[in-house]
Amino acid sequence: MNIVYLTTESVPFAKTGGLADVCGTLPSVVAAGGHQCAVIMPAFDSIRRSGMQIEKTNISFAIDMPTDRIVGGRVLKSHLPGGNVPVYFIDQPQYYGRPFLYGDKHGDYRDNAERFIFFCRAAIEVMKRLEKRVDLIQCNDWQTAIVPALIQNGVGGLPVETPTVLSIHNLAYQGSFAADEFPLTGLSWDRFRSESFEFYGGLNFLKTGIVTADHVCTVSPTYAREIKTPMHGCGLDPILRSLGDRVSGIINGIDTEVWSPAKDVHLVRNYDVDTWELGKLENKLALQAELRLPSDPNVPLIGLVGRLADQKGWDLILPVIREHLREGRPTQWAVLGSGDPVIESELRWLAEEHPDQLAAHIGFSDPIAHRIEASSDLFVMPSRYEPCGLNQLYSLRYGTICIVTATGGLADTIVDTNSETIANGTATGFHLRSYDAASLDRAIGDALQLRFHEKDIWKKIVTHAMTRDWSWRKSASQYIELYARTISLKRRGAK
Ligand code: ADP
């Protein structure tokens, strides 16, 4: 099969979250399975800092944007690490030559509808010029979700029956705009219909993709079920329910070369399932020194890495941290993240007030993320909802036990510790009993009790966590099956 991935993020070229990890790895693993894959993404400024060689191609194009102007673009090319997947970049500096991908401190860029409609139309131009016929397009998230509808309406001239899969990495981000952005698609108003682009009078990219793609795939089986409920459906649950088994979930894998405690270049000491006790201890002492926390092997170190956003459960985490600090409980916290300015400033303030207990690194740092994963005793991730989540998978691999809410991908990957799962050896972490700060604090307490007072049980949990297989191999073969099934259903005309 010849599969093309349309995305705005892909490691190592551009990343704000898990989408980048998926689109930087899945195509290579699918290609290694004997298929041809390509990635098309915008030429954001960050691609020039990726360390990868970027070449010019002779592909250029001009798109008639009904803002009374023709917008030109050219195509640059590189490869995913490993070299088996070409990456084509849509280069249009006015749209993509900005310091951030989607917005700055003032909010989303105002011309995001125009930037990503242009990207979708340009991507179709590029696919038309690829040497081989495209067998299936995988769109990822709202920025690329209108491509199936554009193709079906003849925009750009790819075969209208080209099979498409829409992968949803987070349903909450939908790309909702005023209807007057619609003409940028190049389509006439009679195409602005409720069975495609229109949603409550506006233009909704993600909804357009959901109703027009041949299959909707999300990043864990539990999230695929949850998004059909009013609680997690973000207003799209009735539509998702109507699709029946055209919605499914495949758990993300991780790059086990990059996220490997045995090979990690960011650690002072590498370790594996036989040497984790000493390995984690040395890394903990080094991280305490790096973050200027008191050096103490016996104080529990609790790690957090991720976006400082409501979704990630900060309304539970902050009260628990505050209580630990106020009461001077014997815990240390290592936090890495950026996002909501209110959470950022509270963390900065708490770290200044309690430098012996809390280190807060506000920003994005891959090396520190690796070191927190390796050094912490516990990793806390009480997300309100979590499509898949990657940090809990990294934590498992690094023998760092996770405290999570039983939602989405967290429910699918972390097995709660109780008498039954301890007895049958399947426990890998701790689930909150309910979504509140008291449950989070209780789960942390339960975990620390085992960590420091039931060492044999803890050893069993860590060993089991570290030996679970989260490589892309299994998930990629599920994607390959999905692509083959979607293509064959489309050929038989049974959408
Ligand atoms: P989401 O996509 O919702 O942000 P995921 O857990 O799926 O959450 O993926 C987040 C990815 O981004 C992980 O690879 C995580 O390590 C990384 N990440 C998030 N914030 C930071 C940060 N401040 N520094 C380094 N890596 C980060």
Side-chain angles (χ1 to χ4, degrees):
M1 291 180 286
N2 187 23
I3 313 292
V4 178
Y5 297 82
L6 307 185
T7 181
T8 48
E9 300 186 27
S10 172
V11 164
F13 301 108
K15 170 167 174 170
T16 67
L19 167 65
D21 299 79
V22 176
C23 290
T25 314
L26 173 64
S28 299
V29 186
V30 171
H35 303 281
Q36 291 191 17
C37 296
V39 173
I40 305 179
M41 63 182 290
F44 291 121
D45 270 2
S46 59
I47 71 168
R48 279 136 191 138
R49 297 189 293 270
S50 65
M52 304 292 286
Q53 196 172 347
I54 315 274
E55 298 158 17
K56 289 183 179 159
T57 69
N58 55 13
I59 308 177
S60 61
F61 50 84
I63 290 180
D64 187 358
M65 299 292 274
T67 35
D68 283 341
R69 63 202 177 105
I70 309 265
V71 181
R74 57 180 188 149
V75 176
L76 308 175
K77 189 177 174 191
S78 185
H79 286 90
L80 290 185
N84 63 349
V85 175
V87 181
Y88 299 96
F89 302 98
I90 306 294
D91 190 23
Q92 214 309 318
Q94 263 176 293
Y95 289 142
Y96 311 124
R98 302 181 188 182
F100 302 98
L101 270 53
Y102 311 120
D104 55 22
K105 62 178 191 304
H106 306 295
D108 289 346
Y109 292 131
R110 283 173 181 214
D111 56 351
N112 272 351
E114 182 172 339
R115 295 170 79 219
F116 295 114
I117 289 173
F118 178 85
F119 173 69
C120 291
R121 295 181 61 184
I124 294 173
E125 288 293 325
V126 173
M127 287 188 279
K128 222 167 47 184
R129 298 196 209 178
L130 294 181
E131 279 159 32
K132 215 166 163 272
R133 188 182 59 121
V134 175
D135 291 319
L136 182 137
I137 301 167
Q138 175 166 324
C139 304
N140 292 279
D141 278 349
W142 72 263
Q143 293 87 347
T144 58
I146 59 167
V147 165
L150 294 178
I151 292 173
Q152 286 159 22
N153 280 287
V155 176
L158 266 190
V160 291
E161 67 282 0
T162 306
T164 51
V165 167
L166 170 65
S167 178
I168 299 178
H169 301 259
N170 194 332
L171 187 72
Y173 300 90
Q174 299 183 1
S176 295
F177 300 97
D180 54 17
E181 307 277 8
F182 175 72
L184 294 165
T185 59
L187 291 167
S188 56
W189 277 108
D190 64 323
R191 301 281 131 178
F192 188 63
R193 295 184 182 162
S194 61
E195 60 270 25
S196 52
F197 297 94
E198 189 273 342
F199 193 54
Y200 289 106
L203 167 64
N204 182 311
F205 277 52
L206 197 65
K207 178 258 171 176
T208 306
I210 289 171
V211 294
T212 53
D214 295 304
H215 192 90
V216 175
C217 182
T218 184
V219 286
S220 71
T222 296
Y223 192 59
R225 285 192 297 278
E226 288 174 342
I227 58 176
K228 292 183 172 177
T229 65
M231 189 173 166
H232 291 291
C234 304
L236 295 173
D237 47 295
I239 298 175
L240 288 159
R241 279 197 296 280
S242 74
L243 297 184
D245 61 7
R246 270 176 53 211
V247 182
S248 62
I250 301 175
I251 203 88
N252 287 335
I254 59 171
D255 186 331
T256 48
E257 289 296 304
V258 173
W259 291 96
S260 159
K263 298 181 198 161
D264 195 322
V265 293
H266 302 298
L267 308 187
V268 289
R269 183 181 175 102
N270 291 114
Y271 62 92
D272 61 21
V273 69
D274 297 318
T275 56
W276 63 267
E277 279 171 292
L278 189 59
K280 285 186 72 63
L281 185 74
E282 285 190 22
N283 282 297
K284 179 172 173 176
L285 292 171
L287 187 69
Q288 285 171 331
E290 180 180 355
L291 300 179
R292 299 205 178 85
L293 289 166
S295 181
D296 183 348
N298 294 317
V299 67
L301 181 63
I302 303 175
L304 295 108
V305 178
R307 284 183 295 122
L308 305 180
D310 216 32
Q311 178 205 336
K312 302 290 177 183
W314 283 95
D315 53 335
L316 311 193
I317 301 165
L318 283 174
V320 170
I321 293 183
R322 272 189 227 116
E323 195 169 312
H324 279 235
L325 303 187
R326 197 180 50 237
E327 294 180 357
R329 290 209 216 157
T331 47
Q332 287 181 349
W333 300 75
V335 181
L336 167 65
S338 61
D340 186 335
V342 177
I343 304 175
E344 286 186 358
S345 53
E346 164 123 31
L347 283 169
R348 277 201 190 96
W349 184 80
L350 286 171
E352 271 167 33
E353 291 290 301
H354 302 274
D356 286 356
Q357 281 179 278
L358 171 67
H361 187 103
I362 305 300
F364 198 94
S365 165
D366 211 31
I368 298 180
H370 282 247
R371 292 199 275 272
I372 290 180
E373 287 292 0
S375 314
S376 304
D377 297 290
L378 301 182
F379 193 92
V380 171
M381 208 169 162
S383 306
R384 239 172 222 286
Y385 68 92
E386 193 58 76
C388 176
L390 291 170
N391 280 306
Q392 86 279 16
L393 301 179
Y394 304 148
S395 299
L396 284 163
R397 197 152 157 78
Y398 282 68
T400 302
I401 297 308
C402 277
I403 314 286
V404 301
T405 19
T407 184
L410 298 174
D412 290 338
T413 55
I414 301 292
V415 178
D416 187 33
T417 298
N418 54 46
S419 49
E420 192 187 328
T421 57
I422 290 174
N424 66 21
T426 55
T428 56
F430 292 81
H431 289 182
L432 267 62
R433 295 286 160 260
S434 57
Y435 188 82
D436 53 57
S439 296
L440 174 59
D441 202 26
R442 195 169 321 121
I444 291 173
D446 291 347
L448 292 180
Q449 169 67 20
L450 291 188
R451 161 74 179 85
F452 289 96
H453 304 290
E454 305 270 2
K455 292 204 169 163
D456 287 345
I457 297 177
W458 190 257
K459 220 171 180 167
K460 249 172 105 174
I461 298 174
V462 171
T463 308
H464 185 57
M466 288 186 79
T467 47
R468 299 291 320 272
D469 177 11
W470 299 108
S471 66
W472 266 105
R473 205 178 32 84
K474 219 171 9 180
S475 305
S477 63
Q478 291 176 39
Y479 273 99
I480 291 168
E481 259 175 56
L482 169 66
Y483 301 151
R485 197 168 61 243
T486 306
I487 293 169
S488 120
L489 281 174
K490 189 78 183 228
R491 284 201 186 128
R492 284 189 277 151
K495 189 173 150 180

